[in-house]
């Protein structure tokens, strides 16, 4: 899969209406997507082991999108083969009183991955320029005022924050799952029709759906302002779940492969000790 087609170009306006949520970028058959995902998951298992052993970089994966866009499914399927000891998943919902008492980046900052580890943010600090922008009354709880430049300031803060992470060895990959309004309706109805999926349904899903157009505008402005060379956004057409999973996996594999990491090699005294240990074990 050519992941360059999914990556947004910095400095260009984003128009989500011009990106078809049903597109599969040439990967026309579901069977082909499933096969590619299986191959990538196998490769990711190998790359994660090396990544963890090298402990020279960390990886932050950010997933954003409307309700039922497939964030949970992407995490479940893409990460199905990795060692769970090396991955942390965090879901960020409405902030607590303690979190609101800090700056808007704090609650995500405190769980950033250390070198050798992967962290996945299921929603993130980007909620502070999306849902808070759609519902500006939330700013009052944060002791912030909706001044005309608050969003530009937050975009600037986020870009600086991610630049700092990149300069210090954290790879930042951001995925926006671009779901159509009609497909969301079908998925929400499916949750209502299937008793085993009723628990997934939330009244908030319906409430927020009423603000669909406002969310699309907020996402467009956020994506255009915060896709950078050091922390790019990938817009993933999300009407086909199998494509989302295959696309996200391809981007992650491509990035980890490009690092050229390898298992640590012992030299000098440490290498000599290995020979000594072998002799001791063989002599038993």
């Amino acid at each position: 899969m050519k992941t360059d087609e999914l990556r947004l170009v910095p400095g260009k306006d984003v128009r989500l209406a011009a990106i078809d949520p049903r597109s599969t970028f040439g990967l026309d058959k579901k069977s082909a997507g499933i096969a590619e995902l299986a191959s990538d998951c196998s490769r990711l298992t190998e790359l994660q082991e090396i990544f963890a052993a090298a402990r020279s970089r960390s990886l932050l994966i950010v997933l954003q999108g409307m309700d039922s866009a497939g964030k949970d499914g992407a995490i479940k399927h893409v990460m199905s083969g990795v060692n769970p000891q090396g991955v942390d998943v965090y879901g960020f919902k409405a902030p607590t009183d303690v979190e609101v008492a800090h700056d808007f980046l704090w609650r995500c900052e405190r769980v950033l991955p250390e070198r050798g580890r992967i962290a996945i943010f299921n929603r993130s600090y980007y909620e502070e320029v999306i849902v808070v922008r759609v519902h500006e009354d939330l700013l009052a709880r944060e002791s912030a005022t909706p001044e005309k430049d608050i969003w530009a300031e937050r975009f600037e803060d986020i870009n600086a924050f991610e630049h700092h992470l990149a300069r210090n060895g954290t790879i930042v990959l951001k995925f926006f799952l671009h779901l159509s309004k009609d497909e969301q309706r079908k998925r929400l109805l499916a949750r209502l029709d299937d008793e085993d999926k009723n628990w997934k349904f939330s009244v908030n899903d319906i409430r927020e759906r009423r603000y669909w157009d406002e969310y699309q505008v907020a996402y467009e402005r956020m994506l255009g302002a915060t896709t950078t060379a050091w922390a790019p956004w990938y817009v993933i057409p999300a009407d086909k779940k199998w494509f989302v999973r295959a696309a996200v996996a391809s981007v992650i594999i491509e990035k980890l492969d490009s690092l050229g990491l390898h298992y640590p090699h012992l030299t000098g005294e440490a290498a000599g000790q290995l020979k000594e240990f072998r002799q001791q074990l063989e002599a038993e």
Side-chain angles (χ1 to χ4, degrees), residues 206-225:
I206 297 299
R207 183 183 299 117
E208 293 305 295
R209 182 174 166 81
R210 298 170 187 161
Y211 297 93
W212 183 275
D213 292 339
E214 290 87 342
Y215 272 110
Q216 298 307 295
V217 172
Y219 274 118
E220 287 177 343
R221 293 175 179 172
M222 176 274 287
L223 292 167

Side-chain angles (χ1 to χ4, degrees), residues 197-242:
K197 293 183 179 179
N198 285 173
W199 65 272
K200 289 185 176 183
F201 194 84
S202 168
V203 175
N204 197 54
D205 295 340
I206 297 299
R207 183 183 299 117
E208 293 305 295
R209 182 174 166 81
R210 298 170 187 161
Y211 297 93
W212 183 275
D213 292 339
E214 290 87 342
Y215 272 110
Q216 298 307 295
V217 172
Y219 274 118
E220 287 177 343
R221 293 175 179 172
M222 176 274 287
L223 292 167
T226 60
T227 190
T228 58
W230 55 87
W233 273 108
Y234 292 82
V235 176
I236 312 295
D239 276 16
K240 300 182 187 299
K241 294 179 181 179
W242 61 265

Side-chain angles (χ1 to χ4, degrees), residues 92-104 106-107 127-128 131-133 135-146 150-151 154:
F92 296 97
K93 299 185 184 297
T96 65
D97 290 340
V98 172
E99 290 168 342
V100 168
H102 292 78
D103 68 88
F104 79 93
W106 179 80
R107 65 173 179 162
E127 295 296 285
E128 296 294 332
V131 66
V132 177
R133 186 167 191 162
H135 301 286
E136 287 195 359
D137 56 297
L138 296 175
L139 286 171
R141 189 176 178 225
E142 300 178 4
S143 298
T145 54
I150 188 172
W151 307 118
R154 287 194 171 187

